[in-house]
Amino acid sequence: MASMMFTDCSSMSSSLLHVNSRRSAILFRQCVGQLPLRSTASSARACSLSIRCSSSPTLVDGKAVAKTIRDEVTVEVSRMKESIGVVPGLAVILVGDRKDSATYVRNKKKACESVGIKSLEVKLAEDCSEEQVLKSISCFNDDPSIHGILVQLPLPSHMDEQNILNAVSIEKDVDGFHPLNIGRLAMRGREPLFVPCTPKGCIELLHRYNVEIKGKRAVVIGRSNIVGMPAALLLQREDATVSIIHSRTKNPEEITREADIIIAAVGRPNMVRGSWIKPGAVIIDVGINPVDDPNAPRGYRLVGDVCYEEACKIASAITPVPGGVGPMTIAMLLSNTLISAKRIHNFE
Amino acid sequence: MASMMFTDCSSMSSSLLHVNSRRSAILFRQCVGQLPLRSTASSARACSLSIRCSSSPTLVDGKAVAKTIRDEVTVEVSRMKESIGVVPGLAVILVGDRKDSATYVRNKKKACESVGIKSLEVKLAEDCSEEQVLKSISCFNDDPSIHGILVQLPLPSHMDEQNILNAVSIEKDVDGFHPLNIGRLAMRGREPLFVPCTPKGCIELLHRYNVEIKGKRAVVIGRSNIVGMPAALLLQREDATVSIIHSRTKNPEEITREADIIIAAVGRPNMVRGSWIKPGAVIIDVGINPVDDPNAPRGYRLVGDVCYEEACKIASAITPVPGGVGPMTIAMLLSNTLISAKRIHNFE
């Protein structure tokens, strides 16, 4: 149970979301720490807040924010359908019989249904050829009713993942993994067509909780193509001073302790301890690591990359695991699909 | 005379290179600072060294390294011509009558000639249409004798720079500015076809002087698309722990002082003072800023972004300005053109 689970858009599937009900109420702490969280009124955009004068950190409730975003997407999908008769469409290509992949795809389809996005699925056999996958992609590229295309990863080992992902039309790359999108994300004055879902979800949480980013020190732990690297690029676009920590970093604790904002996306349970955290820092924990727990119903429980109990004593705001970044990923996928449909149909 | 001059590939034109002869001999200091510079034998790859047991820092002699690289390119161009009869070709498109641009283009042509690369130039009038520029690019994209295409910047204000640069075939984008190249540079497991010339020159200097990058703290000052940002991505690819400082950074001095390697590319004369530098740090100074100097023959002299005199007392190695990064940029352009020709003709 050592593998990390944040690498799929839908890794935070509903079956894994055991949100601690004691924590689902947001504790909002005012005037604490380096990053003053603005008025409760504007924070309430995302979710209802119960304000307590407490020393507990603000719990950044990704589940609640994701629900708000889904509701917003639902309204827009409906408005689009009524105005121009177009329903956004997402196509998912699943190759092989991996149970986890099948679950992820099922959750994506369910999420689409819940907001009124049309979803299509193509299932291909484990031993199909790369050409068959490319043919499916090509069909969806040409299909005007499809606005987003996802290829569920991992692909069977006989296939060239890079080649297959590159075949997805840049206009329909709702995962945002195409190098052209990443290049635009990195460049000032350029705009990516899509931002990868998980890092976009991280920044969206900061926005919805009115965490100031500009001029702040931010540390991203992990430099994966799908989370750490694009998260760092996004923070930089918003004028944070960003440092990226990875497996070769010699003094991660010292560097992390300088950060006003920490995004942890490394996949090591409880790696970031209380001593790593600057008082008042805001923590976005992307890791979802299963750890053995004989007392848990399934024999394991999920923990983040940050030692939650220790972090709670020192951070000003923190995402729980699960229920933090996880639910945001699918919400951002729905949002990206809507954005794509609006762009293709020039609908504002 | 406040503008910065590092933004052109050829901004370090030969007319601007007044290398201080007292400094053109490399002082090589062994076993000093955080980044031990390895044996003098391997450093001699780049240039001849005169070793002195002195407290002066190693002067990273970009002029000498650039000469070595040009010699290496000359040999390879000649070998290619003899083996398969192909001469690498670079096309430069110059729009308008800017004197500085004309000088840069002339220097690029001269540099090509000196290593045996064929160069072609198209001059278009200031008031020509964007379509005319696009047509020239399209011709060169299709011309099998051309392996690299450069559009001299800046373009007249009535043209869409992004649109024009995107028209250059990714296979011939020897400037490496195409977002697809930048995206590949940012992504682990992907390889850019070309790396932008100036940041490539910075890293090449570190390599040629055997400066260890892996695991070191690196600070890049400046986040431009053509120097700072790609330099940070390159350092990260080599496993440095990178922080990027920019105009919104609140405590640049404090962060810079943590760095084992500093790449300064911000265009502010003498911004980095001695107090910003960790003892033993290696400094690559990309800035070339003209400052008024009534005693200088032209009424100005060129200084870097780093206060050289102060830095010399504390750094273990430093690039002079001029004669540091400047000459490397054109050398890297020649190298990229050779790489392109080799790739297109499958020549190893």
Side-chain angles (χ1 to χ4, degrees):
Chain A
M1 298 300 290
S3 69
M4 233 249 302
M5 300 173 77
F6 71 69
T7 53
D8 186 80
C9 270
S10 63
S11 63
M12 316 289 184
S13 63
S14 57
S15 65
L16 295 176
L17 284 176
H18 313 291
V19 177
N20 186 327
S21 60
R22 284 179 300 134
R23 298 225 159 101
S24 63
I26 292 171
L27 310 179
F28 195 82
R29 189 170 58 153
Q30 286 179 304
C31 305
V32 175
Q34 297 288 318
L35 292 160
L37 300 165
R38 285 182 226 145
S39 77
T40 54
S42 57
S43 294
R45 245 173 86 200
C47 41
S48 65
L49 294 166
S50 68
I51 301 163
R52 296 187 201 171
C53 288
S54 139
S55 63
S56 303
T58 300
L59 290 200
V60 177
D61 187 345
K63 202 179 172 192
V65 175
K67 183 175 180 317
T68 304
I69 292 169
R70 286 186 189 215
D71 289 347
E72 292 165 0
V73 170
T74 305
V75 169
E76 285 298 285
V77 166
S78 170
R79 190 172 68 86
M80 194 174 179
K81 189 176 173 183
E82 281 163 23
S83 301
I84 59 168
V86 171
V87 176
L90 177 72
V92 184
I93 298 169
L94 174 63
V95 186
D97 304 311
R98 286 178 64 116
K99 263 193 161 178
D100 55 349
S101 291
T103 304
Y104 299 147
V105 169
R106 196 165 53 244
N107 287 323
K108 284 167 190 169
K109 285 183 70 177
K110 267 191 209 166
C112 284
E113 278 165 30
S114 75
V115 299
I117 289 176
K118 185 183 80 171
S119 71
L120 271 181
E121 188 188 340
V122 167
K123 280 188 190 173
L124 294 168
E126 178 79 21
D127 61 353
C128 79
S129 69
E130 194 172 313
E131 283 63 38
Q132 284 177 280
V133 182
L134 292 172
K135 203 176 156 195
S136 288
I137 293 173
S138 175
C139 282
F140 289 130
N141 281 343
D142 296 338
D143 183 342
S145 77
I146 293 299
H147 308 97
I149 303 170
L150 278 189
V151 180
Q152 183 64 41
L153 301 179
L155 288 163
S157 55
H158 67 280
M159 293 184 185
D160 182 340
E161 184 182 300
Q162 190 171 325
N163 198 28
I164 286 174
L165 292 183
N166 281 353
V168 174
S169 159
I170 181 86
E171 273 79 28
K172 300 186 179 183
D173 173 36
V174 283
D175 257 344
F177 294 156
H178 195 289
L180 195 53
N181 264 324
I182 298 293
R184 290 181 180 177
L185 193 63
M187 295 171 87
R188 301 188 81 192
R190 302 284 182 119
E191 292 297 328
L193 291 173
F194 301 100
V195 174
C197 299
T198 302
K200 184 178 180 181
C202 295
I203 304 300
E204 189 69 24
L205 283 176
L206 295 174
H207 288 172
R208 298 258 174 169
Y209 278 82
N210 295 299
V211 174
E212 199 179 346
I213 300 174
K214 189 172 179 170
K216 298 295 171 187
R217 292 271 325 248
V219 160
V220 176
I221 309 176
R223 53 174 167 172
S224 67
N225 287 342
I226 54 173
V227 189
M229 179 270 290
L233 297 177
L234 281 168
L235 287 166
Q236 178 154 302
R237 280 179 91 86
E238 304 221 7
D239 290 334
T241 299
V242 183
S243 303
I244 302 166
I245 285 175
H246 48 75
S247 57
R248 304 296 180 177
T249 299
K250 281 181 185 151
N251 43 0
E253 178 172 346
E254 193 184 303
I255 301 168
T256 306
R257 206 159 37 226
E258 293 160 4
D260 302 306
I261 298 167
I262 299 169
I263 295 184
V266 72
R268 287 181 58 189
N270 298 324
M271 186 180 90
V272 178
R273 307 298 300 263
S275 62
W276 293 39
I277 301 164
K278 177 178 174 176
V282 173
I283 301 175
I284 305 292
D285 190 350
V286 185
I288 311 184
N289 311 286
V291 294
D292 292 339
D293 182 353
N295 297 325
R298 293 162 190 259
Y300 70 90
R301 63 192 166 88
L302 299 174
V303 302
D305 292 346
V306 179
C307 181
Y308 188 79
E309 288 70 26
E310 292 179 11
C312 275
K313 293 176 188 154
I314 193 156
S316 69
I318 185 166
T319 54
V321 174
V325 176
M328 293 296 290
T329 302
I330 285 195
M332 291 297 110
L333 174 64
L334 301 175
S335 167
N336 276 355
T337 305
L338 171 65
I339 287 168
S340 178
K342 282 184 166 185
R343 181 165 42 223
I344 288 170
H345 292 280
N346 206 15
F347 179 74
E348 283 178 6
Chain B
M1 297 301 288
S3 68
M4 233 248 303
M5 300 174 75
F6 71 69
T7 53
D8 186 79
C9 270
S10 65
S11 62
M12 316 289 184
S13 64
S14 56
S15 65
L16 296 176
L17 283 175
H18 313 290
V19 177
N20 185 327
S21 61
R22 285 182 297 135
R23 297 226 158 101
S24 63
I26 292 170
L27 310 178
F28 196 83
R29 189 169 58 151
Q30 287 179 303
C31 305
V32 175
Q34 297 289 317
L35 292 161
L37 300 165
R38 286 182 223 142
S39 76
T40 53
S42 56
S43 294
R45 243 173 90 199
C47 42
S48 65
L49 294 166
S50 68
I51 301 164
R52 295 187 202 172
C53 290
S54 140
S55 64
S56 302
T58 301
L59 291 199
V60 177
D61 187 345
K63 202 178 172 194
V65 175
K67 182 174 181 318
T68 305
I69 291 169
R70 287 185 188 216
D71 290 346
E72 291 166 0
V73 170
T74 306
V75 169
E76 285 298 287
V77 166
S78 169
R79 189 172 68 86
M80 194 173 179
K81 188 176 176 184
E82 281 163 23
S83 301
I84 60 168
V86 172
V87 176
L90 177 72
V92 185
I93 298 169
L94 174 64
V95 187
D97 304 311
R98 285 178 65 114
K99 262 193 164 179
D100 54 350
S101 291
T103 305
Y104 300 149
V105 170
R106 195 165 54 245
N107 286 324
K108 285 168 188 168
K109 286 182 68 176
K110 267 191 208 165
C112 284
E113 277 165 29
S114 76
V115 299
I117 288 176
K118 185 184 78 169
S119 71
L120 270 182
E121 188 189 341
V122 167
K123 279 187 192 174
L124 294 168
E126 178 80 18
D127 61 353
C128 79
S129 68
E130 194 172 313
E131 285 62 40
Q132 283 177 281
V133 183
L134 292 171
K135 201 175 157 194
S136 288
I137 293 174
S138 175
C139 282
F140 288 132
N141 281 342
D142 296 339
D143 183 341
S145 78
I146 293 299
H147 308 96
I149 303 170
L150 277 189
V151 181
Q152 183 65 40
L153 300 180
L155 288 164
S157 56
H158 67 280
M159 294 185 184
D160 181 341
E161 184 182 300
Q162 189 171 325
N163 196 29
I164 287 175
L165 291 183
N166 281 352
V168 174
S169 158
I170 181 86
E171 273 78 29
K172 299 185 179 183
D173 172 37
V174 285
D175 257 343
F177 294 157
H178 195 289
L180 195 55
N181 264 325
I182 298 292
R184 289 180 180 178
L185 194 64
M187 296 171 87
R188 303 189 79 192
R190 302 284 182 118
E191 292 298 327
L193 290 172
F194 302 100
V195 174
C197 299
T198 302
K200 185 178 180 180
C202 295
I203 304 298
E204 188 69 24
L205 283 175
L206 295 174
H207 288 170
R208 299 259 174 168
Y209 278 81
N210 295 298
V211 174
E212 199 180 344
I213 300 175
K214 190 173 179 168
K216 297 296 173 188
R217 291 272 322 250
V219 161
V220 177
I221 308 177
R223 53 175 168 172
S224 67
N225 287 342
I226 56 173
V227 189
M229 179 269 291
L233 296 177
L234 282 167
L235 287 166
Q236 178 154 301
R237 280 179 91 86
E238 302 221 9
D239 290 334
T241 299
V242 184
S243 303
I244 302 167
I245 284 175
H246 48 75
S247 57
R248 304 294 181 178
T249 299
K250 280 180 184 154
N251 43 2
E253 178 172 347
E254 193 184 304
I255 301 169
T256 307
R257 204 158 40 226
E258 292 161 5
D260 303 305
I261 298 167
I262 298 168
I263 296 185
V266 72
R268 288 181 57 188
N270 298 324
M271 186 180 90
V272 178
R273 307 299 300 263
S275 62
W276 292 39
I277 300 165
K278 178 178 173 176
V282 173
I283 299 174
I284 305 292
D285 190 351
V286 185
I288 311 182
N289 311 287
V291 293
D292 291 339
D293 182 354
N295 297 325
R298 293 162 189 259
Y300 69 90
R301 63 193 165 88
L302 298 174
V303 302
D305 292 344
V306 179
C307 181
Y308 188 79
E309 290 70 25
E310 292 180 11
C312 275
K313 293 175 189 155
I314 192 156
S316 69
I318 185 167
T319 55
V321 174
V325 176
M328 292 296 290
T329 302
I330 285 195
M332 291 297 110
L333 174 63
L334 302 174
S335 167
N336 276 354
T337 306
L338 172 65
I339 287 169
S340 179
K342 282 185 166 183
R343 182 166 40 224
I344 289 170
H345 293 280
N346 206 14
F347 180 73
E348 282 178 8

